[in-house]
């Protein structure tokens, strides 16, 4: 902890003046860029991957992405040490349709090499406009040769909730793709279809979260009235918020299985943890993203911004979501041939798990039985 009145910045200004006077390359670097780099490194010193400094240009790009109002291949990308990493392929996206997979590394886009360039610049090579094609060179872990994949860009409307009866079962399947303003209302409408079904599979794979309140409202349909769902703890303990289920005594009471993967984050993890803590849902898939914190953006001069973690989420059993990811009860990885055969191995396992849960009517016994079958 430090007091700003006691903070001695003499060493910083000493180094700054030395760089300005002596650095051979300083004439090629603007003062603004030098200060931005200093602020960026200050924020990085927090060792928090969710806190970041953004320039005015980066803020504009970030807000554009938040609005989902642009046209491209529809995949969440991140910086690879050398190139561009496909972090998450969005459902119903051109990227998924044309064969892009999570973990793919993009080497080039329309012959523009993406090595060692800024992430925002790389995105501009891949996006715009709908109906046009982008030719990607792709490095995939299990392929010996570079792949050449053509994707037709598009603008998609992603439903936040999608539901159906699974073939050859009496199980209702609900995919929650994002926790948005209307997601809880859409989920409630889906629940009205569940009266005659035997159980529910909730698919939170590839769901990066967003609105906490949507998760609370969805959980209120599934957890007994008055039960704690999540606690948001702030640096100031007086600002701590506890959220409880509010359903006037009516909650869905049939077996639930939840699908999660490495891109299930934030509100998805809150939902999965709460249902799991109360032994209402068995988790199937791979470990979650590990994102249980709240960020707030603060505007600086010149349109720059700092996004800081201001609070963290805790489960009903007081587990710090930001300190440990969710490990599913039944771990299921995809195999190489699953992609070629369009086979959803995780969903298939979820159906088997739900069948056993319905049969045994006991959370612990179901997991124990399924683990025995694995061996």
């Amino acid at each position: 902890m430090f007091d700003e009145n006691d903070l001695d910045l003499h060493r910083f200004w000493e180094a700054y003046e030395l760089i300005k006077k002596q650095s051979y390359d300083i004439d090629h670097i603007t003062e603004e860029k030098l200060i931005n780099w200093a602020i960026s490194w200050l924020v990085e010193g927090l060792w928090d991957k969710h806190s970041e400094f953004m320039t005015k240009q980066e803020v504009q790009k970030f807000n554009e992405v938040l609005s989902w109002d642009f046209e491209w291949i529809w995949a969440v990308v991140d910086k690879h040490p050398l190139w561009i990493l496909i972090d998450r392929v969005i459902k119903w996206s051109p990227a998924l349709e044309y064969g892009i997979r999570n973990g793919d590394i993009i080497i080039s886009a329309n012959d523009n090499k993406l090595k060692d360039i800024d992430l925002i610049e790389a995105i501009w090579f891949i996006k715009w406009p709908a109906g046009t094609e982008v030719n990607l060179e792709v490095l995939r872990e299990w392929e010996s040769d570079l792949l050449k994949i053509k994707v037709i860009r598009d603008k998609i409307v992603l439903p936040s909730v999608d539901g159906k009866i699974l073939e050859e079962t009496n199980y209702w399947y609900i995919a929650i793709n994002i926790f948005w303003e209307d997601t809880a209302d859409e989920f409630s409408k889906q629940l009205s279809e569940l009266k005659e079904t035997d159980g529910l599979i909730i698919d939170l794979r590839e769901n990066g979260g967003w609105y906490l309140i949507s998760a609370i409202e969805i959980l209120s349909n599934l957890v007994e009235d008055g039960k704690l769902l999540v606690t948001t703890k702030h640096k100031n303990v007086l600002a701590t918020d506890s959220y409880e289920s509010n359903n006037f005594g009516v909650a869905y009471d049939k077996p639930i299985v939840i699908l999660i993967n490495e891109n299930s984050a934030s509100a998805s993890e809150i939902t999965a943890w709460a249902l799991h803590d109360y032994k209402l849902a068995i988790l199937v898939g791979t470990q979650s993203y590990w994102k249980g914190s709240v960020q707030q953006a603060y505007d600086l001069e010149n349109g720059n911004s700092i996004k800081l973690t201001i609070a963290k989420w805790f489960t009903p059993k007081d587990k710090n979501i930001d300190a440990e990811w969710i490990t599913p009860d039944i771990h299921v990885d995809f195999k190489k041939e699953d992609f070629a055969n369009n086979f959803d191995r995780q969903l298939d396992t979820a159906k088997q798990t739900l069948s056993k849960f319905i049969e045994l009517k006991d959370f612990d016994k179901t997991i124990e039985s399924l683990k025995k079958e694995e061996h």
Side-chain angles (χ1 to χ4, degrees):
M1 298 293 292
F2 62 84
D3 187 326
E4 63 178 6
N5 296 318
D6 299 327
L7 186 61
D8 183 4
L9 291 176
H10 171 76
R11 286 174 295 170
F12 172 81
W13 291 116
E14 182 182 27
Y16 180 77
E17 290 299 326
L18 183 64
I19 290 169
K20 285 186 66 175
K21 291 178 181 178
Q22 301 298 336
S23 175
Y24 184 85
D25 294 315
I26 191 63
D27 292 339
H28 303 292
I29 302 172
T30 65
E31 183 177 85
E32 181 180 7
K33 183 173 288 188
L34 200 61
I35 293 297
N36 285 347
W37 280 343
I39 298 172
S40 180
W41 278 103
L42 180 64
V43 175
E44 288 191 23
L46 297 171
W47 289 93
D48 173 19
K49 63 181 178 180
H50 304 302
S51 294
E52 61 179 323
F53 167 76
M54 291 184 286
T55 64
K56 179 180 179 179
Q57 294 75 22
E58 289 169 335
V59 170
Q60 290 172 343
K61 299 299 180 186
F62 180 74
N63 290 334
E64 182 181 271
V65 172
L66 274 185
S67 72
W68 289 39
D69 188 23
F70 61 93
E71 300 154 351
W72 81 317
I73 67 171
W74 288 95
V76 178
V77 295
D78 202 352
K79 195 73 179 79
H80 178 271
L82 294 177
W83 296 287
I84 300 300
L85 173 70
I86 298 292
D87 186 58
R88 175 164 58 99
V89 178
I90 296 172
K91 295 175 183 176
W92 295 290
S93 67
L96 183 63
E97 178 184 352
Y98 289 95
I100 300 294
R101 298 288 178 254
N102 292 344
D104 282 354
I105 296 170
I106 309 300
I107 306 298
S108 70
N110 285 343
D111 295 325
N112 296 293
K113 300 300 181 183
L114 304 184
K115 184 177 180 181
D116 295 328
I117 71 170
D118 180 79
L119 181 61
I120 299 298
E121 185 181 357
I123 289 174
W124 276 92
F125 282 127
I126 300 173
K127 66 187 285 188
W128 306 117
T132 62
E133 66 181 44
V134 56
N135 294 286
L136 304 174
E137 271 192 311
V138 176
L139 179 65
R140 185 170 293 165
E141 182 180 2
W142 60 82
E143 300 288 353
S144 56
D145 299 321
L146 279 179
L147 304 176
K148 296 184 182 296
I149 300 178
K150 180 178 73 175
V151 181
I152 306 299
R153 304 172 175 104
D154 202 357
K155 181 173 182 177
I156 67 170
V157 177
L158 180 68
S160 63
V161 177
D162 187 39
K164 62 182 179 181
I165 286 280
L166 293 172
E167 291 183 10
E168 300 179 1
T169 74
N170 194 32
Y171 310 150
W172 194 259
Y173 167 88
I174 296 180
I176 304 177
N177 302 308
I178 192 170
F179 287 85
W180 218 235
E181 291 178 340
D182 299 326
T183 304
D185 289 337
E186 294 178 31
F187 184 85
S188 296
K189 291 176 183 177
Q190 292 284 332
L191 281 184
S192 66
E193 305 290 335
L194 292 173
K195 295 177 182 177
E196 305 302 324
T197 56
D198 298 324
L200 171 63
I201 294 176
I202 301 175
D203 192 345
L204 296 177
R205 294 175 297 177
E206 311 302 330
N207 185 328
W210 293 95
Y211 285 12
L212 169 65
I213 295 303
S214 289
I216 301 303
E217 292 174 350
I218 285 172
L219 285 167
S220 288
N221 289 289
L222 307 172
V223 178
E224 183 182 338
D225 189 46
K227 291 281 191 180
L228 178 65
L229 300 176
V230 67
T231 301
T232 304
K233 297 184 181 181
H234 293 254
K235 182 179 179 181
N236 178 1
V237 295
L238 297 178
T240 293
D241 292 313
S242 295
Y243 298 89
E244 297 178 348
S245 178
N246 182 13
N247 57 34
F248 307 104
V250 178
Y252 181 77
D253 60 356
K254 293 180 181 179
I256 302 171
V257 170
I258 294 180
L259 281 162
I260 59 171
N261 69 1
E262 61 278 3
N263 289 312
S264 303
S266 184
S268 289
E269 291 176 294
I270 288 171
T271 302
W273 268 121
L275 292 173
H276 191 263
D277 275 1
Y278 289 120
K279 298 187 176 183
L280 297 174
I282 295 174
L283 308 181
V284 173
T286 55
Q287 68 184 28
S288 65
Y289 181 81
W290 187 20
K291 202 295 188 173
S293 55
V294 183
Q295 283 70 45
Q296 182 169 324
Y298 297 89
D299 294 333
L300 304 176
E301 293 181 0
N302 301 325
N304 297 340
S305 176
I306 288 182
K307 184 176 66 173
L308 294 176
T309 296
I310 61 167
K312 295 196 174 183
W313 288 317
F314 290 75
T315 76
K317 290 187 176 180
D318 206 36
K319 294 176 182 175
N320 182 354
I321 297 173
D322 213 43
E324 59 179 300
W325 51 63
I326 303 173
T327 301
D329 302 299
I330 310 298
H331 184 96
V332 185
D333 280 311
F334 283 105
K335 298 182 179 180
K336 181 179 178 179
E337 61 267 22
D338 294 340
F339 298 106
N341 298 327
N342 198 26
F343 175 59
D344 192 337
R345 185 175 300 276
Q346 292 175 341
L347 178 57
D348 188 67
T349 302
K351 289 189 287 186
Q352 297 173 37
T353 301
L354 184 56
S355 177
K356 183 65 71 171
F357 199 1
I358 293 168
E359 175 192 341
L360 298 179
K361 299 181 177 62
D362 184 277
F363 177 89
D364 294 313
K365 289 181 179 178
T366 300
I367 295 173
E368 182 181 354
S369 174
L370 289 167
K371 288 187 178 297
K372 284 181 179 178
E373 291 178 9
E374 285 181 351
H375 298 91

